[in-house]
Amino acid sequence: MDSNTSPSWLAFSLSNITNLPLFDAIRAVDHHDHQTNGGDLPKLEDFLSVGSAAPSLFEADSDLKTLAASFMYSSSMPTTALTVTTNELSPLDITAPANIAMAVDSSGKKSVDTFGQRTSIYRGVTRHRWTGRYEAHLWDNSCRREGQSRKGRQGGYDKEDKAARAYDLAALKYWGPTTTTNFSVSDYEKEIEEMKHMSRQEFVASLRRKSSGFSRGASIYRGVTRHHQHGRWQARIGRVAGNKDLYLGTFSTEEEAAEAYDIAAIKFRGLNAVTNFDMSRYDVKSIASSNLPIGGINKSKPSSNDKSNISTLDHHNKALNRNQSDELYLSSIPFQTPQPSSSSSSSSSSTTLNFALPIKPDPSSDTTTTNWYLFNNDTKINNVATLFQYGHNGLANFQPSLSHFNMDYNNNNGTTIPFVAPITVSGNSYERSSYGNWVSASTHSHQSAKPNISVFQTPIFGME
DNA sequence: CATTGTGTTGAA
DNA sequence: TCAACACAATGG
């Protein structure tokens, strides 16, 4: 909550991190060093790459030119700050495919004499020449056309079989359950279900995101480092727009910092950004539309508040509106003046607010009650009132692009204030409620004063 | 070899 | 807390 010092657009962060997914947590480094030791379990390629480097072996693989998506997997992050217990080769993984053989020869193309150079026993997987990392390749030109998922772009997983699985998933998405996969299709039931809701590009993008690599640092999260003096976590993103490092703030938890990085990454790199958390956590659209002065970031600290930016108060507002408190205001939402008082709006009646929150709907939830809390700037948590959303049921109403929600605001006085807000909401109350992780809105609706709404969220981390 | 992530250090 | 430089890993 003390991370109230981030760039304005970061304001859009909403850490629903509570359910820190299983996020293959360990994007850490693997401690095997294939380059120097023939030690553990030599791999096929170790034998193949005799002499100097193995590089050229794949150079000829021009087929890869058509790759639209690729995932890299590594097994040789050289250093090792974090030695991860590598037991990733769980029994499960070893269920290596019976179709290996076929995988090998079915890739066609390559002439027989190059077979021996295959760098992985898995279909769709190749081992990167220098690095020893693994890439899963999926060829699809349409993808490329749409400018999505081109080759490379992210580090790799640490294990060959992971690359193989990535390939499998992509292939399943593209060619259906009958396609040849490395592992049994039954391994992917869950994923297959998930992919149904995504376009190929989306799915592939998500796969890419899940690939690992990186993190040679203190944090397992990308873009996060621990600061020397107070052990706080600093988030940065390098040389974006401008060519300077962009400092994203310091946070007390890695996750918050990681999220800050993610948002920045999305902001600058869009859908292709490689993020720490699943992209679904963020509302890319909103992040993109925030008025971040791309190319120049408010180098100047968002001094107290850049009310200036706010001027253009179209629905999407940003501008960090810090408040004397130490609460984290994620987004400040200057909005339409309250109702022209048509009726009795004086003190506490009815106000129409317009604001947007870059929160992505949680597709897994079908609840229609969102925990929107309205606060009074002065009293904060005391004046909590829950907003009940009505008139909407189910997922259809949670489309990110969609915008208007009608809500009733039940204030403490029992008064109900109709509330209209173009927002996208996360409706997953179950996970939030248990952690007190709520999206909240704070308002300044005093007498005549123009309401000033800020959105912030209650502390998530550090509170058990 | 161009990018971009991370260690570090230091001033404010 | 914020910034910057230097270096290293990544991916082309």
Side-chain angles (χ1 to χ4, degrees), chain A residues 346-390:
Chain A
S346 51
S347 54
S348 65
S349 323
S350 140
T351 314
T352 298
L353 310 174
N354 270 307
F355 61 89
L357 297 179
I359 305 164
K360 185 120 186 200
D362 183 336
S364 68
S365 167
D366 57 4
T367 178
T368 56
T369 302
T370 13
N371 294 308
W372 285 91
Y373 278 38
L374 238 62
F375 287 76
N376 182 296
N377 252 9
D378 308 317
T379 52
K380 303 244 158 153
I381 315 230
N382 309 321
N383 256 359
V384 182
T386 309
L387 287 172
F388 293 100
Q389 183 181 313
Y390 69 85

Side-chain angles (χ1 to χ4, degrees), chain A residues 10-65:
Chain A
L10 243 192
F12 285 134
S13 161
L14 262 205
S15 334
N16 334 336
I17 303 187
T18 39
N19 63 331
L20 257 187
L22 333 179
F23 182 115
D24 28 25
I26 331 305
R27 295 181 136 172
V29 194
D30 156 353
H31 63 276
H32 297 339
D33 185 345
H34 293 282
Q35 302 189 314
T36 54
N37 91 24
D40 18 47
L41 310 179
K43 296 194 186 316
L44 174 57
E45 53 278 22
D46 289 330
F47 295 113
L48 296 174
S49 49
V50 201
S52 50
S56 53
L57 292 184
F58 263 69
E59 223 61 287
D61 214 332
S62 56
D63 290 305
L64 302 187
K65 290 292 170 47

Side-chain angles (χ1 to χ4, degrees), chain A residues 237-282:
Chain A
I237 186 164
R239 283 139 289 200
V240 280
N243 200 37
K244 290 279 189 177
D245 282 10
L246 178 57
Y247 173 82
L248 303 172
T250 56
F251 307 79
S252 38
T253 66
E254 284 181 89
E255 288 75 13
E256 287 172 298
E259 191 174 51
Y261 171 87
D262 284 357
I263 290 175
I266 292 171
K267 179 68 200 173
F268 292 101
R269 309 203 246 272
L271 259 30
N272 289 317
V274 176
T275 52
N276 289 299
F277 299 110
D278 195 281
M279 188 82 68
S280 64
R281 170 190 297 287
Y282 313 100

Side-chain angles (χ1 to χ4, degrees), chain A residues 25-221:
Chain A
I26 331 305
R27 295 181 136 172
V29 194
D30 156 353
H31 63 276
H32 297 339
D33 185 345
H34 293 282
Q35 302 189 314
T36 54
N37 91 24
D40 18 47
L41 310 179
K43 296 194 186 316
L44 174 57
E45 53 278 22
D46 289 330
F47 295 113
L48 296 174
S49 49
V50 201
S52 50
S56 53
L57 292 184
F58 263 69
E59 223 61 287
D61 214 332
S62 56
D63 290 305
L64 302 187
K65 290 292 170 47
T66 57
L67 301 191
S70 91
F71 314 89
M72 302 234 3
Y73 299 78
S74 145
S75 68
S76 64
M77 286 287 282
T79 49
T80 11
L82 314 176
T83 314
V84 170
T85 22
T86 15
N87 255 352
E88 318 216 7
L89 279 182
S90 66
L92 270 183
D93 297 337
I94 300 182
T95 56
N99 50 1
I100 289 180
M102 103 184 281
V104 172
D105 67 54
S106 63
S107 73
K109 276 354 191 149
K110 293 279 102 174
S111 55
V112 183
D113 50 321
T114 59
F115 272 2
Q117 300 174 5
R118 190 157 275 294
T119 55
S120 171
I121 56 173
Y122 296 108
R123 181 184 185 76
V125 177
T126 57
R127 185 183 196 228
H128 193 82
R129 50 269 184 168
W130 308 107
T131 60
R133 302 163 73 76
Y134 290 96
E135 304 178 355
H137 297 291
L138 175 70
W139 45 95
D140 174 70
N141 292 316
S142 64
C143 243
R144 165 180 251 163
R145 237 178 282 118
E146 324 210 353
Q148 291 268 315
S149 5
R150 257 188 304 284
K151 190 180 175 196
R153 269 284 173 235
Q154 70 293 300
Y157 277 42
D158 27 26
K159 299 296 180 187
E160 196 173 2
D161 65 279
K162 286 196 176 176
R165 288 174 186 281
Y167 165 82
D168 286 357
L169 289 169
L172 286 170
K173 175 65 185 176
Y174 275 82
W175 303 302
T178 58
T179 192
T180 304
T181 52
N182 292 298
F183 297 94
S184 165
V185 179
S186 61
D187 283 14
Y188 308 116
E189 283 172 20
K190 183 180 158 204
E191 290 85 350
I192 289 178
E193 197 47 46
E194 290 172 2
M195 66 173 78
K196 286 180 183 168
H197 307 302
M198 294 183 256
S199 69
R200 287 175 173 179
Q201 287 70 23
E202 283 171 340
F203 185 66
V204 162
S206 79
L207 284 177
R208 296 179 69 226
R209 253 173 255 122
K210 286 173 186 156
S211 70
S212 74
F214 327 107
S215 196
R216 53 199 152 102
S219 170
I220 59 171
Y221 296 108

